[in-house]
Amino acid sequence: MSKIDSISNDDNKGISRRSFLRSTTMIAGGATAGMFIPGAVDKVNALDLMKQSNQPEVIITAKGRALIAKMQAQKKILLIDSMIFAYKPNRGKAPTENEPLQPNEIVHNAKIQQQIRLSEDAIALSTTLDSDVGPFKFNWSCLYCSEYDTIIAITYPKLTTKTVDGPGVKGNTLIRSFILNYSNIAEITNSTIMAAGPSFMAHQRLDNVENLALQAIIDQQGKDWFIKNGFMVLPMEGVYKVMAGVAYISGHRIELENNRVIDASNKPFYIYVDAYKNNNDIDGLETKFNIIISNKDLKNYVNTDGVHHYYCKLCQVMTDGSVSDLRPQNTVVDKGWAEAKDHQAIESVSGLKIYPISRNLAVGDTIPEGYNGLRINDKIYRVACHGDVNEIDTNTTFIIVDKQKYYLQPCIEGQSFYSIDNLADYAPLSDWGDKINYAAEICRKDGLILWIPNKVYRFNKTIELKDINVQWDGTLELCSNIIGVILKYNVNLVGKPIIMRSKSLAYFDKAMVMLTSSSEKFEGKWVTKGCIENKISQLNIINGWIDYDYTAHGIVADQTKLTGQGLVLLAGSWTADLTKRRSHEYVWRNFISDVYVDGFEQPYVLQAVIDDITPNRWITWVNGNKLHNLCARRFKQGFVVKSPLLRPNGKIGGEVAGNTCASLDFQWSRVSAEAFLICEGRNNKFELMGWDAPKTATNTIQFLRGNTFPPGYAEASGNIVELYGATLGKLNGSDLSPLVYESNPGLNTFIAEGYVARNIMPELSPPTVGSALTNSYIPKLDNFLAFINHRPRCYTQLLKNGKLQSKVDLTPMFDFNPESSVRLEVEKGDEYKVIISLEGARNHFNMIGSTLGYNQLSAGIIDIDLHDRHKKSVYSSRQTLKTANVTGFINAANIKTIVITYSGFEQAGQLNISALYGQTYNRNASQGFMTADGACWMQDDIKINKAGAGVVIRDEVNGQLYRIAIANGELKLEPVKK
């Protein structure tokens, strides 16, 4: 067997050292359908079983399917021998069939311990992680065949902590199982039939474990019992408050995370807790509950769907509103055992070993070795130390153990959160920017969630976040003219984050929030990691010079203070003075939604810069990002795309392309607004709702060039703008003209009121090589109808109401000049018909179109008809008259006549035909194609891309065709025989 250094489902991505896997094995699952069944037996706290249970999706990898098919075809045995457990801090929502596995993500590798044949097409495999295995946490698992170094199937279990035996504490034992469904899978895996008895199902073993655990709890502590004041009901000003806490109902653990208020008037009544679960459904392993009111005695029951309901009275509310606590009193009093169980549950969730078990730490205590969590003032703090406790800070910022100071890292409610408030009195750092950066580093090292509580934090130092989850509930007030917050990569930002430019900041010209990432030193080498996989939601970027106290819309105290940028995606961090080192930089696969920006000159900016230092080696791009539900008010330029597209050496760089910008909701400001959208990029999509632009507004949407290359190179092209809203939704036809400006018209698409409307025809760029739309072949070839009057035996006629208009010059329809057009006067009921005869050519069309330019026009109908040499209709289309009408790709062969009819005018006006155009295709591949390749040394020349093909020219007198060819270094002109 050959040595292979990696396991992956993408040959170019992800490595996992095979040497690491040699000593362990794993199980298989999935195929056309699969099931992953987790189970857990905690020898100290068996209820971890229920808390950790779920049924995530199993994906069979592409290589897994290929290997299974190969083994079936060769009639060989497939040994799926390992289950790999991994932790991916920034995994996606669901596994994919080509997902890589990095070596540093693997936390454990286990052998398959049981493999059972359920049927010809289904097998079950399982493994057990004993209490001496660990500690680690995992949220990713796969099935692995070591013989062929292949991942067979992948699943995303929810985050699970595997604990290990320690001093006075037993680790948990976890069972993990897969059911694999695939045609004839049992035969090639050599699975044996389960011994006599009912068919094996992995969750049956879990049920047995669960039932034993429940019975043990009931035997030791009672059927229903409560920890401390959990679920106690208290009267409170006419309503009833149910206290947060933990309870065990018929042995099932439930937890009320926050106090709940009940408002009921029909006294007397009972308040019950209704705990329920479906014992027949793997998804039902987690116990759920409701708090309900009833004036009757309720008993446990199982409904028709197999859901088990367990009732327990919490209290009785008397006629006078008083409350009688009916929780079982013996279990409320005797809670030592329950506290120990609750302690273990917190340890399992937080991944800590906590001291003490059932009380708070006190001065004089001796902390044993091996503990990394302390219980202080009824909260859990993360800190690793041991020895005699000399002092506990009254603000719980630090403790002194054996005369050494240790700073406490709080875990909120037993979860893995780290509050920045923990550093409020941290003397080494004075600014909240430095403190948040310090806290972020702690969280990144320890796998914690950074928590910004609901307060206002003033800061003067740039905050940099990477590889971290952030619960941002407060307001960060920026007090200096610096970049506020930088997100580098793998930042998941949730909560209700607010960042505000302080009113104390008189001048500001930077960005409030920026997504960018310069190169970093990794294992001694500088590498480009890219600004990727950042997820932002519910972000508010506010200018403090706007006063919201008296109106929700806010009042601007000083219009001159509405400066700077809101949210910026930047590739080229050296231009923002964030680094002196240039490198490849890219901003890619970021997901941004529900952002509101108010009071900044440029609320949203996507920018890629060029490397302008010879040899222009560095490439930057901002591509493939998703931005949804963006709002902006009080701006100068709402959405700005800065993209030079080419470096000075003529190669790609500084590109902004392929970004989806949906549901842009921009409010025009009569005081400051200049444009909704300014774009230099290409192939981006914008869905724009622009409100209340005045009738006098012009150039509200602009497509510009960010370079000085000749026309035809690096154009702002291929962008799509869908226009909606109180102003833009009323656009029709050439009304686009005053609102839209293109430095090279016709290269971008506009959609308004449900139809596609190009201002002018595609390929109106000058006839040069290097066109962005034609992929570097000559635009004239793309518009076959250009200069039609100069083609032999081809001519054009114009008819008005059936009469030939011989004195009208039709040249402007085909002259490549977007400013000219054939201007025709129209009365109500008139009909104009353009007939293009192509008798001297054999034409196959992909598309036919008509463009009506920038002029006001009346409502009407356009008919496009294509006829063959027998005058038989090959294609016909009737459409509402718009700025641009196209057939789409039709593949119409042997067209001899094109007839375009304009009619249905409801009022007098002027019909201005800017262009008629057609794109052809070549049905005979042997003819070759004439191209100019902008990526090669011949970029300014024409070359023939097929052996034996050449340039064919026609004698206009006799119609004879000649091919220009070269033989033995001599140029020859050879007749072409038909």
Side-chain angles (χ1 to χ4, degrees):
M1 183 167 55
S2 62
K3 182 177 181 181
I4 303 175
D5 289 333
S6 67
I7 59 171
S8 171
N9 299 292
D10 185 330
D11 290 334
N12 299 316
K13 298 179 181 178
I15 59 171
S16 180
R17 295 295 176 192
R18 192 165 196 186
S19 59
F20 176 88
L21 301 171
R22 289 290 190 188
S23 61
T24 54
T25 50
M26 91 165 253
I27 78 180
T32 54
M35 180 183 297
F36 176 80
I37 307 177
V41 184
D42 189 333
K43 295 179 179 177
V44 177
N45 183 5
L47 294 176
D48 279 348
L49 167 66
M50 293 172 284
K51 291 190 298 180
Q52 299 295 341
S53 296
N54 59 14
Q55 181 185 342
E57 178 185 8
V58 169
I59 292 295
I60 307 308
T61 67
K63 287 189 174 182
R65 290 196 303 269
L67 180 59
I68 293 173
K70 174 184 175 181
M71 302 303 282
Q72 288 180 334
Q74 297 178 356
K75 296 183 178 181
K76 293 183 178 179
I77 297 299
L78 172 63
L79 178 59
I80 306 172
D81 54 1
S82 297
M83 179 184 293
I84 299 173
F85 299 91
Y87 176 71
K88 293 195 173 188
N90 296 285
R91 70 175 195 190
K93 293 183 178 179
T96 61
E97 64 176 13
N98 291 307
E99 186 167 332
L101 176 61
Q102 304 296 342
N104 60 349
E105 296 170 341
I106 298 174
V107 296
H108 187 65
N109 204 355
K111 292 182 179 180
I112 300 303
Q113 297 174 339
Q114 191 171 27
Q115 181 170 305
I116 300 298
R117 177 179 187 170
L118 305 178
S119 69
E120 293 293 333
D121 303 328
I123 61 173
L125 308 97
S126 67
T127 190
T128 300
L129 306 179
D130 289 326
S131 63
D132 59 349
V133 175
F136 54 83
K137 59 182 178 180
F138 61 92
N139 63 357
W140 191 96
S141 182
C142 78
L143 304 179
Y144 175 68
C145 171
S146 59
E147 181 179 0
Y148 292 94
D149 193 21
T150 300
I151 294 176
I152 304 296
I154 300 171
T155 189
Y156 282 2
K158 67 180 177 181
L159 181 62
T160 302
T161 298
K162 178 68 183 72
T163 60
V164 67
D165 296 340
V169 178
K170 283 291 186 180
N172 57 356
T173 298
L174 304 180
I175 302 169
R176 284 299 182 266
S177 302
F178 278 80
I179 291 179
L180 171 60
N181 298 303
Y182 195 94
S183 179
N184 296 321
I185 189 67
E187 181 178 356
I188 67 164
T189 55
N190 201 24
S191 301
T192 58
I193 300 176
M194 185 181 179
S199 296
F200 170 82
M201 290 298 291
H203 69 272
Q204 284 186 342
R205 183 177 180 186
L206 304 184
D207 287 340
N208 294 335
V209 171
E210 179 186 353
N211 292 333
L212 290 174
L214 294 175
Q215 191 59 51
I217 292 169
I218 293 172
D219 290 344
Q220 296 181 64
Q221 195 63 21
K223 179 173 171 290
D224 303 320
W225 47 277
F226 301 78
I227 298 176
K228 298 182 180 179
N229 292 328
F231 290 84
M232 178 185 289
V233 180
L234 301 174
M236 184 180 64
E237 297 180 356
V239 297
Y240 303 92
K241 180 169 69 173
V242 183
M243 302 291 288
V246 174
Y248 287 83
I249 308 301
S250 292
H252 298 84
R253 186 183 190 275
I254 60 174
E255 181 174 1
L256 179 62
E257 295 183 352
N258 300 293
N259 296 337
R260 188 174 300 180
V261 175
I262 294 176
D263 188 0
S265 57
N266 296 324
K267 307 178 186 70
F269 56 82
Y270 295 107
I271 297 180
Y272 281 85
V273 59
D274 170 20
Y276 60 93
K277 62 177 298 182
N278 189 344
N279 287 352
N280 297 322
D281 184 358
I282 296 170
D283 284 335
L285 285 173
E286 181 180 356
T287 303
K288 303 176 182 178
F289 69 93
N290 291 318
I291 297 175
I292 61 176
I293 295 174
S294 176
N295 55 11
K296 299 179 181 179
D297 287 330
L298 302 179
K299 296 183 178 181
N300 299 346
Y301 75 100
V302 181
N303 69 12
T304 56
D305 295 327
V307 178
H308 293 240
H309 285 261
Y310 307 94
Y311 289 107
C312 177
K313 285 180 182 177
L314 299 178
C315 71
Q316 182 178 15
V317 178
M318 306 301 182
T319 305
D320 61 1
S322 61
V323 174
S324 175
D325 187 3
L326 300 181
R327 297 177 303 150
Q329 292 302 309
N330 63 320
T331 54
V332 174
V333 175
D334 183 16
K335 51 186 178 290
W337 185 83
E339 288 179 348
K341 296 300 177 187
D342 195 44
H343 174 88
Q344 292 161 11
I346 294 174
E347 286 189 334
S348 177
V349 173
S350 64
L352 301 177
K353 285 190 62 180
I354 301 169
Y355 179 85
I357 290 179
S358 59
R359 62 175 178 83
N360 289 311
L361 186 72
V363 174
D365 284 348
T366 300
I367 303 173
E369 290 189 33
Y371 288 88
N372 60 349
L374 299 177
R375 188 188 302 271
I376 303 174
N377 295 339
D378 295 323
K379 292 184 179 179
I380 306 302
Y381 293 86
R382 180 184 298 268
V383 59
C385 60
H386 66 275
D388 295 332
V389 179
N390 309 123
E391 181 184 344
I392 300 176
D393 176 42
T394 55
N395 295 316
T396 59
T397 302
F398 63 86
I399 64 170
I400 296 178
V401 178
D402 285 346
K403 299 181 180 181
Q404 292 200 30
K405 183 183 288 187
Y406 296 88
Y407 285 92
L408 301 172
Q409 304 167 21
C411 296
I412 311 322
E413 299 298 334
Q415 302 296 320
S416 297
F417 285 83
Y418 183 89
S419 172
I420 63 173
D421 279 347
N422 188 50
L423 299 173
D425 301 314
Y426 184 40
L429 302 175
S430 58
D431 188 80
W432 273 112
D434 289 332
K435 291 179 180 181
I436 293 173
N437 286 330
Y438 182 81
E441 187 63 26
I442 291 174
C443 293
R444 190 160 43 251
K445 289 181 178 179
D446 294 341
L448 302 174
I449 299 171
L450 179 66
W451 184 35
I452 301 175
N454 188 15
K455 299 178 183 178
V456 177
Y457 302 88
R458 295 168 59 88
F459 71 107
N460 296 274
K461 302 291 183 65
T462 298
I463 297 168
E464 294 189 7
L465 302 174
K466 62 182 180 181
D467 242 347
I468 193 173
N469 293 319
V470 182
Q471 178 70 36
W472 183 346
D473 298 319
T475 298
L476 298 182
E477 183 177 339
L478 178 61
C479 302
S480 295
N481 186 33
I482 58 171
I483 298 173
V485 176
I486 294 175
L487 279 66
K488 290 191 170 182
Y489 47 85
N490 300 334
V491 177
N492 184 22
L493 194 65
V494 298
K496 295 183 179 179
I498 299 175
I499 183 170
M500 179 176 68
R501 172 193 170 179
S502 176
K503 192 174 180 180
S504 66
L505 183 54
Y507 178 76
F508 180 70
D509 64 353
K510 298 294 191 296
M512 296 292 288
V513 178
M514 178 178 287
L515 276 69
T516 190
S517 183
S518 55
S519 61
E520 296 183 1
K521 205 163 190 178
F522 181 74
E523 294 182 351
K525 296 182 179 179
W526 289 95
V527 297
T528 300
K529 299 197 70 168
C531 181
I532 61 172
E533 294 292 346
N534 293 294
K535 299 177 179 63
I536 303 174
S537 62
Q538 303 289 334
L539 176 62
N540 289 272
I541 303 175
I542 306 297
N543 193 322
W545 287 88
I546 302 174
D547 185 356
Y548 296 96
D549 290 340
Y550 301 102
T551 170
H553 300 298
I555 300 173
V556 180
D558 185 346
Q559 292 286 345
T560 65
K561 305 300 183 183
L562 305 185
T563 59
Q565 299 172 323
L567 178 67
V568 177
L569 279 66
L570 172 66
S573 59
W574 59 84
T575 61
D577 296 325
L578 299 176
T579 181
K580 299 297 183 182
R581 177 179 293 273
R582 298 192 177 196
S583 64
H584 300 304
E585 289 190 14
Y586 53 91
V587 183
W588 180 40
R589 300 198 326 270
N590 295 285
F591 303 89
I592 301 169
S593 64
D594 302 301
V595 179
Y596 176 71
V597 181
D598 192 1
F600 294 89
E601 189 174 16
Q602 296 176 334
Y604 302 97
V605 179
L606 274 59
Q607 180 178 7
V609 305
I610 59 170
D611 172 23
D612 55 0
I613 298 179
T614 304
N616 319 126
R617 60 179 296 193
W618 304 117
I619 299 172
T620 66
W621 43 274
V622 180
N623 294 352
N625 300 283
K626 308 296 183 185
L627 299 91
H628 292 172
N629 300 330
L630 308 185
C631 297
R633 295 180 52 129
R634 284 174 275 247
F635 56 82
K636 186 175 181 180
Q637 300 165 341
F639 200 109
V640 179
V641 175
K642 299 180 181 180
S643 173
L645 289 173
L646 293 182
R647 290 170 280 159
N649 61 10
K651 296 183 179 181
I652 287 292
E655 180 183 55
V656 180
N659 300 285
T660 301
C661 310
S663 299
L664 308 182
D665 190 327
F666 292 173
Q667 174 67 51
W668 188 272
S669 169
R670 296 179 181 272
V671 176
S672 59
E674 293 181 356
F676 287 118
L677 171 65
I678 298 178
C679 178
E680 297 173 355
R682 58 186 175 188
N683 300 323
N684 302 286
K685 183 175 181 180
F686 306 92
E687 296 178 7
L688 172 62
M689 180 175 290
W691 296 96
D692 300 336
K695 294 181 179 180
T696 57
T698 59
N699 301 342
T700 64
I701 300 172
Q702 303 176 30
F703 288 95
L704 309 175
R705 295 172 59 83
N707 57 71
T708 57
F709 286 92
Y713 287 88
E715 300 280 356
S717 63
N719 299 286
I720 300 174
V721 183
E722 295 189 24
L723 309 173
Y724 306 96
T727 300
L728 300 180
K730 298 179 181 178
L731 297 177
N732 61 79
S734 61
D735 285 347
L736 285 171
S737 60
L739 293 178
V740 174
Y741 172 80
E742 296 177 275
S743 61
N744 195 347
L747 299 184
N748 301 281
T749 299
F750 306 92
I751 302 173
E753 295 185 346
Y755 63 81
V756 176
R758 279 186 182 269
N759 281 27
I760 52 179
M761 59 170 284
E763 292 308 328
L764 269 182
S765 56
T768 60
V769 299
S771 165
L773 281 185
T774 57
N775 196 22
S776 299
Y777 65 84
I778 295 180
K780 287 183 183 178
L781 298 180
D782 199 40
N783 181 16
F784 180 80
L785 300 182
F787 306 109
I788 193 72
N789 289 325
H790 298 286
R791 300 178 186 275
R793 297 175 63 192
C794 297
Y795 58 90
T796 305
Q797 294 177 306
L798 174 68
L799 285 74
K800 178 179 180 181
N801 300 326
K803 295 182 179 180
L804 180 66
Q805 306 294 298
S806 57
K807 296 183 179 181
V808 177
D809 181 12
L810 303 182
T811 302
M813 292 184 187
F814 313 105
D815 68 357
F816 277 106
N817 185 356
E819 301 302 325
S820 66
S821 61
V822 177
R823 307 176 189 277
L824 306 172
E825 297 297 327
V826 175
E827 298 293 334
K828 183 178 181 180
D830 277 351
E831 176 189 271
Y832 279 96
K833 182 174 294 187
V834 179
I835 302 174
I836 303 173
S837 299
L838 309 170
E839 296 177 3
R842 182 178 181 178
N843 307 296
H844 312 301
F845 283 94
N846 262 336
M847 181 181 70
I848 300 291
S850 166
T851 304
L852 301 178
Y854 289 103
N855 296 281
Q856 189 72 34
L857 50 100
S858 304
I861 301 296
I862 181 173
D863 291 278
I864 302 175
D865 296 289
L866 310 180
H867 299 178
D868 62 13
R869 63 190 180 89
H870 301 295
K871 299 184 178 181
K872 180 180 178 181
S873 176
V874 173
Y875 174 88
S876 63
S877 171
R878 167 165 284 202
Q879 305 174 28
T880 302
L881 200 61
K882 309 184 187 78
T883 299
N885 292 91
V886 296
T887 61
F889 292 104
I890 53 179
N891 291 341
N894 301 317
I895 301 303
K896 291 295 183 181
T897 307
I898 300 173
V899 181
I900 300 179
T901 306
Y902 304 92
S903 61
F905 301 106
E906 299 177 354
Q907 61 184 25
Q910 192 175 52
L911 175 67
N912 302 316
I913 306 176
S914 177
L916 301 180
Y917 53 91
Q919 294 179 338
T920 63
Y921 69 94
N922 191 345
R923 290 174 62 115
N924 186 351
S926 66
Q927 295 177 14
F929 294 90
M930 182 168 63
T931 74
D933 188 348
C936 79
W937 60 272
M938 294 181 63
Q939 67 178 40
D940 295 323
D941 301 304
I942 295 173
K943 67 177 182 179
I944 306 303
N945 281 345
K946 185 173 181 66
V951 177
V952 176
I953 60 177
R954 181 192 301 272
D955 187 326
E956 294 190 6
V957 176
N958 57 27
Q960 175 64 49
L961 299 177
Y962 295 90
R963 175 179 286 109
I964 299 175
I966 297 177
N968 297 323
E970 295 183 2
L971 185 67
K972 299 194 303 182
L973 197 64
E974 299 176 343
V976 177
K977 297 181 180 180
K978 295 185 179 179

